[in-house]
Amino acid sequence: EGIGHGVYLVGDVMVDALHFNQKIAKESSKILERLGLSKESYLLMTVHRPSNTDNKENMQSITSALERSEKTVVFPMHPRTKKYLKEYGMLDKMPDSMFCIDPVGYLDMLCLLSNAEKVLTDSGGVQKEAYISGIPCITLRENTEWVETVQDGWNVLVGADEEKIYSAIQSFTPISPQRDVFGSGDASERITRILTEWEYFICQGNGGDG
């Protein structure tokens, strides 16, 4: 739009917020103890989008891939997902290796995500949180809002294809370090510094009476 003045690249404040809350979650969340899990001993999965939940074949493909992997899976179940799994007659037939639990609070979710081996999700927010947390992400969709995470090699798009999901669970591993595409976690400090400097210059321009 031709704006060349007064524009600053500071990074994403979501990185700041996530790192801040992960420290709190590390000290306060006891969900791993409650579930009897240890770091990197499980996969974390969230599924809630209509493209998956409203399609019985998609849900069967996803759960079949997980069952074949024989991995422990933590599955905080969205009410929408639970409703459809019940309708499909799948709710009582979930693999024994899958912890189908009620939705969890933000801090417990951060704890589960930060300690997972990998994350499987159709959530845009969880994809981004996984990237910022340095956790490999398998996205159960054909596209993503966060193309940077795929380009950086930390996210793979598999849709609801059973073979692709299974293959990603078994073998998907990022091969390069992250480039911090969303910033390094100091966006709030940068914004504060810029606003403070602007306030100073405005006050100076008004003869110090700002």
Side-chain angles (χ1 to χ4, degrees):
E1 296 181 1
I3 301 173
H5 180 68
V7 178
Y8 301 87
L9 181 63
V10 298
D12 193 328
V13 292
M14 183 175 174
V15 181
D16 303 31
L18 187 65
H19 288 169
F20 177 82
N21 284 293
Q22 279 178 328
K23 292 177 183 177
I24 299 173
K26 185 175 181 180
E27 297 297 326
S28 63
S29 176
K30 303 299 179 186
I31 193 163
L32 293 186
E33 291 87 337
R34 292 203 303 270
L35 296 177
L37 299 170
S38 57
K39 185 176 178 63
E40 297 184 8
S41 68
Y42 62 92
L43 306 175
L44 174 65
M45 181 172 76
T46 72
V47 181
H48 76 281
R49 286 183 177 266
S51 58
N52 283 322
T53 61
D54 299 12
N55 187 312
K56 183 178 180 180
E57 290 184 359
N58 282 6
M59 295 306 298
Q60 287 176 328
S61 293
I62 292 168
T63 56
S64 293
L66 289 163
E67 186 171 18
R68 285 173 57 194
S69 75
E70 299 183 345
K71 298 270 190 178
T72 298
V73 182
V74 179
F75 184 13
M77 196 174 292
H78 192 284
R80 176 190 188 89
T81 311
K82 187 174 183 178
K83 169 192 168 185
Y84 278 102
L85 287 175
K86 188 174 182 179
E87 285 186 14
Y88 302 150
M90 296 174 60
L91 189 59
D92 297 328
K93 299 177 182 179
M94 301 300 278
D96 293 337
S97 58
M98 188 176 293
F99 287 83
C100 295
I101 62 176
D102 290 333
V104 297
Y106 182 56
L107 295 179
D108 281 344
M109 185 63 182
L110 285 184
C111 183
L112 287 171
L113 186 147
S114 301
N115 290 283
E117 176 188 348
K118 295 175 184 176
V119 175
L120 296 94
T121 189
D122 59 11
S123 163
V126 173
Q127 291 176 58
K128 191 175 178 184
E129 288 176 336
Y131 178 87
I132 296 169
S133 302
I135 306 298
C137 184
I138 300 168
T139 295
L140 306 171
R141 290 166 55 189
E142 302 291 344
N143 51 52
T144 178
E145 302 89 342
W146 307 112
V147 294
E148 304 93 338
T149 65
V150 176
Q151 293 168 346
D152 213 28
W154 281 77
N155 188 4
V156 60
L157 304 178
V158 296
D161 185 297
E162 180 178 342
E163 293 303 321
K164 289 182 179 179
I165 297 169
Y166 175 75
S167 176
I169 291 171
Q170 298 299 108
S171 61
F172 173 59
T173 303
I175 59 174
S176 59
Q178 291 184 347
R179 295 181 292 113
D180 291 330
V181 296
F182 300 114
S184 56
D186 61 351
S188 299
E189 293 179 10
R190 292 186 182 194
I191 292 169
T192 301
R193 185 167 61 249
I194 291 165
L195 292 177
T196 301
E197 290 173 355
W198 268 101
E199 183 179 24
Y200 171 78
F201 287 126
I202 291 171
C203 289
Q204 291 293 101
N206 290 333
D209 297 327

